[in-house]
Amino acid sequence: MTQAAIIKLTSQQASNWQGASNLSFNGDEISIYVDGDNAGNLRSIQKAGRKIEGLGVKNAKLSGDNWCELSQWAFAQGFSKVGKYEAIEFTGSDDVSKRLADKQEVYAWARDLINQTPSQLVPQGLAQTALAYIKGLAPEQVTAEVISGTDLEQQGWTGTYNVGKGSINLPSMLILDYNPSGDALAPVFTTLVGKGITFDSGGYSIKASAGMFSMKCDMGGAATVTAALALAIKSGLHKRVKLILCCAENMVSSYAYKLGDILTYKNGTKVEIANTDAEGRLVLADGLIAASEFNSEMIIDAATLTGAAMNATGGEYNALFALDNEMISKAQQIAGSENDPAWHLPLAAFHQDKCPSAFADTANSTTQKGGGAGGASNAAGFLARFVDNGGKGWLHMDLSACYNEHGNGMWAAGATGSGIATITGILLEK
């Protein structure tokens, strides 16, 4: 097998199909057989991409009239892996090829970022990298500030400061404004908030080695919302969008925050620390308070937040939460149209009271493993305390499909980019 291959899609079975496989080989040409036109074919095509990459094919050129935009992207998701995120040449009209090439470039940026080691990527570096990426796409339309270290405490960003104060690497918060109109009074369409924990030891509620091994990916939310904004800009986004990344390293030291501490947020909410490993919601609370100050039409936050969401979805879907049914309907419709699987899990107003405290308005979790029954909903309920207007226009995405510690039949090991397409679609919705 050569290092490059022409990949075709066909509904006609040939005589040289390899047993039960849906692949056929003819020199440097590989055909993928699909049976009719149905959603299950996208999964089969992604699996075929994974098999073809596993044969040692270094580059793939998609060819023929049977490829559509979704099927090409399904193949790309299976074929791509670390060091091979931009190894596909797409086919079709100029518009389709450009959209797919833009998507491939943005996903490659996000997946490479998530895969970086925790020593390579520290909180300030994450904030500056995201700023440089967006600024490079729209230099005249972007302004931003990065707040770091004790400046966070002085400005009232108590969650990000306290989670990150135990590390030698300073916590940071990026507040970026993409304003294509140039009008300082233009309304903000959407505020994106991303969890940027560049490494999560669990703090004093320390993780076991097996649970800590993949925690370089705990900034996946920050990478996802940044990439979604980037892809929307490349696709012609003309509305004003704010981007907030809450970046910290959750470490154990004599300066680290402790169980039993009480944090007072800018909106007056007092939070008792019941679990230092429930740190993501503490930094996101800052971002949601800041987002609410912008009075945007929508607030979308994304985070690798809970193991409970991963257990519920099997890591095959991202989990969606909202108090606004319209936001859930919109997100699920777009996720379905983009083949970016997402599933609605329960969230109601009463979930705000699922982490009680005798000493504060709420605790950040419970002392039970995983936050107790309904842990993902309880985490979302905690976040709901920090959005205005009863949660109208707010969507919380728990990125349970963001990263795979090990490769499987669908994905190579590492970051997947899951969630980017859904958020981009929401930003671009007419």
Side-chain angles (χ1 to χ4, degrees):
M1 177 81 55
T2 63
Q3 293 182 348
I6 295 171
I7 313 297
K8 292 187 174 181
L9 202 60
T10 180
S11 59
Q12 301 296 318
Q13 279 191 302
S15 59
N16 62 334
W17 296 110
Q18 307 297 304
S21 174
N22 63 340
L23 301 180
S24 174
F25 301 87
N26 183 12
D28 290 341
E29 185 176 296
I30 304 174
S31 294
I32 302 171
Y33 169 72
V34 291
D35 182 13
D37 183 18
N38 59 68
N41 281 334
L42 295 177
R43 190 173 176 90
S44 296
I45 291 166
Q46 184 169 339
K47 287 182 175 180
R50 188 90 294 278
K51 290 178 183 176
I52 291 169
E53 190 283 323
L55 296 172
V57 174
K58 292 192 174 180
N59 295 281
K61 180 179 180 179
L62 307 188
S63 178
D65 297 331
N66 293 328
W67 290 104
C68 68
E69 194 164 342
L70 278 179
S71 61
Q72 290 189 76
W73 189 245
F75 178 87
Q77 288 176 307
F79 186 79
S80 57
K81 61 173 288 186
V82 174
K84 198 186 289 187
Y85 286 139
E86 296 183 87
I88 300 168
E89 183 180 340
F90 297 104
T91 189
S93 69
D94 290 344
D95 285 347
V96 167
S97 294
K98 182 184 184 304
R99 282 197 299 270
L100 287 166
D102 285 346
K103 199 171 185 179
Q104 183 175 232
E105 185 276 321
V106 169
Y107 272 61
W109 178 85
R111 294 171 78 176
D112 277 331
L113 190 68
I114 294 169
N115 289 335
Q116 284 191 28
T117 73
S119 295
Q120 287 176 311
L121 189 68
V122 298
Q124 280 183 309
L126 172 58
Q128 293 291 351
T129 298
L131 170 56
Y133 187 49
I134 300 298
K135 185 84 170 174
L137 295 175
E140 304 301 321
Q141 300 169 326
V142 171
T143 57
E145 64 174 329
V146 177
I147 309 162
S148 299
T150 55
D151 287 344
L152 289 165
E153 183 181 32
Q154 291 167 8
Q155 295 186 33
W157 304 121
T158 189
T160 307
Y161 172 72
N162 276 280
V163 169
K165 71 180 183 179
S167 172
I168 194 172
N169 297 307
L170 297 179
S172 295
M173 190 169 172
L174 169 66
I175 303 177
L176 180 148
D177 184 6
Y178 169 72
N179 188 2
S181 73
D183 179 4
L185 299 179
V188 179
F189 171 54
T190 304
T191 301
L192 303 174
V193 181
K195 172 187 171 184
I197 301 297
T198 56
F199 184 70
D200 182 17
S201 71
Y204 277 104
S205 304
I206 195 164
K207 293 178 183 288
S209 291
M212 203 187 301
F213 179 67
S214 294
M215 283 300 101
K216 64 183 181 182
C217 80
D218 214 18
M219 38 61 66
T224 298
V225 292
T226 304
L229 177 57
L231 187 54
I233 291 171
K234 282 176 170 282
S235 303
L237 177 68
H238 63 275
K239 296 179 180 179
R240 188 176 188 181
V241 174
K242 299 271 191 174
L243 174 70
I244 302 171
L245 305 185
C246 305
C247 309
E249 193 175 57
N250 188 21
M251 301 294 283
V252 179
S253 76
S254 60
Y255 300 104
Y257 75 129
K258 304 171 185 70
L259 288 94
D261 281 351
I262 293 178
L263 310 184
T264 302
Y265 281 84
K266 286 184 77 173
N267 70 349
T269 301
K270 289 181 167 53
V271 177
E272 183 181 22
I273 306 304
N275 185 344
T276 61
D277 196 22
E279 84 300 329
R281 65 199 72 178
L282 296 174
V283 303
L284 283 177
D286 283 337
L288 293 173
I289 290 171
S292 295
E293 292 175 352
F294 297 138
N295 296 313
S296 53
E297 187 176 321
M298 293 186 292
I299 297 173
I300 303 170
D301 78 73
T304 49
L305 201 64
T306 66
M310 187 172 291
N311 288 335
T313 64
E316 298 273 2
Y317 296 77
N318 290 319
L320 302 177
F321 300 86
L323 295 169
D324 182 340
N325 289 332
E326 184 178 338
M327 287 299 295
I328 284 291
S329 296
K330 180 185 298 187
Q332 286 193 302
Q333 185 275 321
I334 291 173
S337 67
E338 294 288 344
N339 190 35
D340 190 24
W343 199 260
H344 177 201
L345 291 183
L347 178 62
F350 69 79
H351 283 106
Q352 295 183 35
D353 301 317
K354 286 291 189 175
C355 299
S357 167
F359 302 97
D361 298 311
T362 182
N364 70 324
S365 185
T366 70
T367 55
Q368 296 172 271
K369 181 176 176 59
S377 295
N378 299 343
F382 175 90
L383 294 178
R385 290 176 171 270
F386 300 92
V387 291
D388 290 343
N389 303 319
K392 182 173 175 56
W394 167 57
L395 177 71
H396 165 53
M397 184 178 289
D398 197 328
L399 296 172
S400 41
C402 172
Y403 186 89
N404 291 311
E405 186 171 307
H406 306 288
N408 56 42
M410 293 284 289
W411 300 95
T416 65
S418 180
I420 296 172
T422 299
I423 299 173
T424 302
I426 295 172
L427 292 178
L428 294 175
E429 188 185 36
K430 296 292 189 294

